[in-house]
Amino acid sequence: MQLFEIEEIFPDVAGGSRLPRRQAGNSAQSLATTLVADYTLPTRAWLPSSAVTTLLGEFGITSGAARTAISRLGRRGVLESSRDGRHSFYRLTRDAAGELSAGGAWIARFAEQARSWDGTWTLVAFSLPQEHGAQRRSLRGQLRWLGFAPLYDGLWVSPDPWNPTVAGRLAAVTPGAMTVFRAGHVDLAVTADRNPIEAWDIAAIARHYEAFDRQWRPLLERVCGGRIVGAAAVRARTEIMDAYRHIPLLDPQLPVELLPAGWPRARAREVFVEIYDGLAEPAQRHVLDVVRQFTGEPVVGIRAHTVAVMAAN
């Protein structure tokens, strides 16, 4: 099966289901996957389809569009269904749960601890015929997810050491001609010299951090004061995850030695953790309330996971 693109709802990991691609705004399929995962991922609990439709409606998704999204997720192997009389229920498939768990852990561990850097780079050089476009895109998606960036078209760099995860991912792509180096940069002291850190647009990454901070920091006081509850808590929690999940792709914990002073990585993580975890309880209560409307009995297995729980997976 073709590997996922990097724009998937979580960074791509090889598996058997096809998670929905993130689109401009929040697509119904992406929102449905996020909502089900945020509150049932560890348990793979069954949710009434009507409850999922209602929760999506709180994001402005019509009932018809919600039902279509749920059905399509079933066909793609993200959700599986069961019936009890006239009522239908859905839960994450085992493959999708594994993929989402791996993606969530990757996001949750980002900037969890400061990294040391020994001054050396990992370089991946590859050559693929132009007609192998799908294979080229797949390889580039894997490299981007693994923290590499293109210094030149066929030469990608990362400040991280070579490790089994990188080796396994790239071996699975079967890219053809490839060479891997570990090396230090030699400053040529000429205008044509390009430092490996220039593979990343540092100014653009900084602007992304600034935009994230402007949008979410003002919410901290209301979250800490318990003033965001109900559907608003679910919406805010879903939206901050959507915003934060892109940051590790833009800034894969680049060495602070090479970045401007006061780099905002740690501050962004603090804001994300405080809001995502701070809204866990009120969001969970609301999801439980919605589900109870359609079950009429105690609900088991619905639990809002925290950043620490995700990171431990």
Side-chain angles (χ1 to χ4, degrees):
M1 178 171 289
Q2 182 179 350
L3 294 174
F4 312 122
E5 300 291 344
I6 207 67
E7 293 84 2
E8 299 287 1
I9 190 170
F10 275 115
D12 53 319
V13 289
S17 64
R18 295 197 61 191
L19 299 176
R21 181 177 298 183
R22 176 64 62 187
Q23 300 175 357
N26 285 327
S27 76
Q29 289 186 61
S30 293
L31 278 172
T33 307
T34 301
L35 285 167
V36 174
D38 268 353
Y39 303 97
T40 70
L41 182 57
T43 62
R44 295 179 58 233
W46 291 100
L47 294 176
S49 60
S50 299
V52 180
T53 300
T54 299
L55 290 167
L56 288 171
E58 295 172 344
F59 286 83
I61 306 296
T62 67
S63 59
R67 287 192 295 270
T68 298
I70 294 168
S71 176
R72 287 176 177 171
L73 289 172
R75 291 197 298 270
R76 297 179 71 174
V78 178
L79 298 178
E80 60 187 11
S81 63
S82 69
R83 294 196 66 85
D84 182 5
R86 297 170 54 191
H87 302 287
S88 58
F89 297 79
Y90 285 87
R91 70 176 179 181
L92 293 170
T93 64
R94 198 171 300 279
D95 282 347
E99 295 167 19
L100 291 163
S101 180
W106 184 75
I107 292 166
R109 292 169 189 159
F110 174 73
E112 187 177 23
Q113 297 177 341
R115 289 184 182 177
S116 59
W117 186 53
D118 64 2
T120 58
W121 298 86
T122 300
L123 297 88
V124 174
F126 63 89
S127 178
L128 284 169
Q130 287 296 327
E131 60 268 22
H132 293 182
Q135 195 177 38
R136 184 185 297 271
R137 286 192 298 273
S138 180
L139 173 58
R140 287 173 172 170
Q142 283 291 329
L143 286 168
R144 183 72 70 181
W145 183 78
L146 292 165
F148 287 80
L151 187 61
Y152 302 104
D153 182 54
L155 181 65
W156 287 57
V157 297
S158 168
D160 293 339
W162 187 250
N163 60 70
T165 299
V166 177
R169 295 280 184 207
L170 296 186
V173 179
T174 59
M178 173 181 286
T179 306
V180 179
F181 304 88
R182 286 283 292 161
H185 172 242
V186 176
D187 189 351
L188 299 177
V190 296
T191 56
D193 183 39
R194 191 178 188 208
N195 192 299
I197 194 65
E198 294 178 41
W200 290 266
D201 188 339
I202 301 303
I205 297 171
R207 290 194 296 272
H208 190 89
Y209 273 123
E210 291 165 3
F212 180 87
D213 194 77
R214 282 197 305 272
Q215 179 178 0
W216 293 105
R217 187 171 293 277
L219 225 64
L220 282 174
E221 185 177 348
R222 295 174 59 205
V223 170
C224 294
R227 300 200 297 273
I228 301 179
V229 296
V234 176
R235 285 197 305 271
R237 195 165 183 266
T238 302
E239 288 166 1
I240 195 170
M241 171 59 83
D242 183 55
Y244 188 76
R245 65 162 48 99
H246 298 292
I247 290 177
L249 293 174
L250 299 172
D251 171 19
Q253 290 193 249
L254 298 168
V256 293
E257 299 92 327
L258 303 176
L259 298 171
W263 191 246
R265 179 188 299 145
R267 297 196 300 275
R269 176 182 168 81
E270 289 170 2
V271 170
F272 167 66
V273 172
E274 287 191 41
I275 292 178
Y276 189 78
D277 286 2
L279 292 175
E281 186 176 342
Q284 176 179 295
R285 283 200 305 269
H286 181 68
V287 172
L288 283 166
D289 288 343
V290 170
V291 172
R292 286 192 193 102
Q293 295 176 25
F294 303 99
T295 61
E297 56 188 35
V299 181
V300 178
I302 293 178
R303 186 165 62 248
H305 49 221
T306 63
V307 174
V309 169
M310 286 194 297
N313 289 334

